[in-house]
Amino acid sequence: MRFAKALLISHITDLAGPSEALENYLRHRSDTLGVIYHPFHYCSDRRSLARKYVAGRLALDKRRCGWALPNLLTYAKDALFSLIFFFTLGGRFNDCVACDPLNAVVAVLLKKCGRIDRVIYYTIDWMPERFASRVLNTVYHALDRFCLRHCDAAWNISPRIVEVRRSQGLPDAKNVLVPVGVDLEKIALPDKSGRVPRDLVLLGALSPSKGVDLVIEAWPRLVARFPGLRLHVVGKTPNNAVEDGVVYAPYEPRLRELGDCVVLHGVMNHDKVLETLPGFDISLALYRPTDNNLSRWADPSRVKDYLACGVPVVITDVPEIAKDVAAEGAGLVAAYTAEAVEAAVAAMVERPEAWRLMRQAAVASMERYRWSAIFDASFEKAFPETGRCGEGPFGFPRQGA
């Protein structure tokens, strides 16, 4: 599928995710692509970003306003800069993918003003209690419903969110499942035919919901049982770390106290992550099993990256992908206890042949999750009447295109 003038608006984290994958997909399939990013308040670089690609080549790259503001003011700033950047990028687009409610509201309003032809509302993060504040949560869900009513199609990152959209009355023709994909072409898998697993990896933002406390609790037991183990931590505690309205202390000091067998790599860009992950042996995705854990409704990128890089995962039964891990034999599902984590890791370390089979299964399970194939299918379902966005059903340019 080709695009005449495409636009992507999204919030981003320090680690790459679906938005960056979509940017890479669109830049090579668009005559003109505009990208507007707003880092979340906990990111190391908070500046909003505007990029413009022409025929796949970067023509503009601007960053503005990295002020540390209260949450409400940050959201207002992001909406304002979406508008400013929109007109900086040209002020007229055929097709827009807007990730999450705040960005989609801006896109829908621009559509109503005749500045955008079609809007895809891309839900990457959703859950019933999105914010600890009742007022913010009410506003969030009101904006979410507004976007559903006025978008041309809704992309949803997990089957659980697809079911929520169906219960909200969204027609199946507009309700598109868009799972997280992987950049398989960027991954080089080493030969581990004679290896005994010993290097564990924990990837991503360090937070209570990601099970970092459980890792810290379980690690002394694991090292006592298997002295040669090493834990590699790729990521960091977010700035202004708050979860469910509670401030938590940085995890790095507690991880350093575990000794030299724990290596803190800090934040890496996504290409570096995909280069580094294949060198590890066992991955950890120990999501805390609470009702308000965002990962329960998501399709965590880190798990897909682990598996694509041939690193079997020990995962708790929180995100939907845990069922796939169990069904495919690509790792082990463990209860959220230190004893269960120890037993799962031991099952791999003590049985290298079983671990190698898990590794093969992990890689094979990701073959169907190439980003390019996922986005091809998702755009075709969202816009079934044309093979070139920005054109009418019979290939004639849309008015104003």
Side-chain angles (χ1 to χ4, degrees):
M1 181 172 282
R2 290 290 304 175
F3 301 83
K5 296 179 180 178
L7 176 68
L8 169 63
I9 313 176
S10 180
H11 281 82
I12 56 171
T13 68
D14 282 326
L15 295 173
S19 301
E20 290 84 352
L22 182 56
E23 175 188 357
N24 187 58
Y25 173 90
L26 288 171
R27 68 175 290 188
H28 298 294
R29 292 165 174 82
S30 304
D31 298 337
T32 301
L33 170 64
V35 178
I36 299 172
Y37 285 149
H38 304 295
F40 285 109
H41 67 278
Y42 53 76
C43 292
S44 53
D45 186 349
R46 300 187 183 95
R47 293 176 297 169
S48 292
L49 163 67
R51 288 188 186 129
K52 184 176 183 178
Y53 297 95
V54 178
R57 295 187 176 185
L58 186 64
L60 181 146
D61 191 331
K62 285 189 175 182
R63 298 172 189 266
R64 295 287 185 273
C65 190
W67 307 322
L69 300 171
N71 279 352
L72 283 176
L73 288 179
T74 298
Y75 299 142
K77 181 269 293 182
D78 291 347
L80 174 62
F81 270 84
S82 286
L83 290 171
I84 292 172
F85 283 158
F86 178 84
F87 288 101
T88 300
L89 294 170
R92 180 71 177 88
F93 291 89
N94 303 118
D95 303 288
C96 174
V97 180
C99 303
D100 296 319
L102 183 65
N103 299 313
V105 165
V106 172
V108 166
L109 293 177
L110 287 167
K111 177 186 174 183
K112 289 182 177 295
C113 294
R115 293 287 179 170
I116 295 174
D117 292 332
R118 298 184 294 192
V119 173
I120 292 176
Y121 173 31
Y122 191 1
T123 302
I124 296 174
D125 294 333
W126 187 97
M127 65 179 183
E129 300 297 325
R130 183 66 178 83
F131 296 95
S133 164
R134 182 176 296 180
V135 173
L136 278 181
N137 210 54
T138 299
V139 172
Y140 169 82
H141 285 289
L143 295 177
D144 178 67
R145 291 190 296 271
F146 173 83
C147 296
L148 282 183
R149 287 196 302 271
H150 298 284
C151 69
D152 294 277
W155 284 4
N156 303 292
I157 203 168
S158 73
R160 286 174 177 163
I161 301 178
V162 168
E163 289 304 314
V164 169
R165 297 309 191 201
R166 186 172 288 127
S167 71
Q168 292 172 321
L170 185 69
D172 284 349
K174 296 174 64 174
N175 193 4
V176 184
L177 173 63
V178 185
V180 167
V182 288
D183 294 310
L184 293 176
E185 65 279 1
K186 296 182 179 180
I187 299 170
L189 298 176
D191 180 10
K192 295 186 179 181
S193 55
R195 185 175 176 83
V196 174
R198 64 179 184 178
D199 287 292
L200 282 69
V201 60
L202 175 66
L203 170 67
L206 305 180
S207 66
S209 66
K210 304 300 190 296
V212 184
D213 297 282
L214 182 58
V215 174
I216 292 171
E217 179 186 351
W219 189 249
R221 304 167 62 104
L222 285 165
V223 174
R225 186 169 174 179
F226 307 107
L229 290 188
R230 289 193 296 263
L231 173 64
H232 300 263
V233 180
V234 180
K236 71 180 186 68
T237 305
N239 297 329
N240 303 325
V242 179
E243 194 166 84
D244 298 330
V246 178
V247 177
Y248 62 93
Y251 280 102
E252 284 80 357
R254 293 172 60 193
L255 288 164
R256 290 191 185 97
E257 289 174 2
L258 296 174
D260 294 339
C261 56
V262 176
V263 182
L264 303 182
H265 294 271
V267 175
M268 298 179 182
N269 65 46
H270 195 239
D271 285 351
K272 184 65 175 177
V273 166
L274 295 183
E275 177 186 328
T276 304
L277 277 183
F280 304 132
D281 304 318
I282 299 170
S283 58
L284 301 175
L286 305 176
Y287 302 100
R288 191 170 61 181
T290 57
D291 290 338
N292 63 338
N293 191 328
L294 184 61
S295 298
R296 187 177 296 279
W297 301 89
D299 187 19
S301 299
R302 78 180 70 189
V303 180
K304 295 279 182 71
D305 285 342
Y306 286 155
L307 300 180
C309 290
V311 190
V313 65
V314 177
I315 188 171
T316 50
D317 189 16
V318 174
E320 191 108 352
I321 196 173
K323 296 181 176 62
D324 296 332
V325 168
E328 302 278 357
L332 295 172
V333 179
Y336 192 81
T337 66
E339 295 80 7
V341 172
E342 178 189 356
V345 172
M348 297 188 195
V349 175
E350 293 177 339
R351 300 172 60 211
E353 289 301 326
W355 165 76
R356 275 188 278 277
L357 291 175
M358 291 182 194
R359 183 169 180 266
Q360 293 171 11
V363 174
S365 71
M366 291 296 104
E367 284 294 336
R368 64 184 184 273
Y369 287 107
R370 291 183 183 273
W371 272 122
S372 57
I374 289 172
F375 288 136
D376 281 345
S378 300
F379 276 112
E380 286 167 7
K381 187 168 183 182
F383 303 142
E385 77 280 6
T386 178
R388 178 176 170 89
C389 293
E391 293 181 348
F394 302 103
F396 295 109
R398 293 182 182 278
Q399 186 173 3

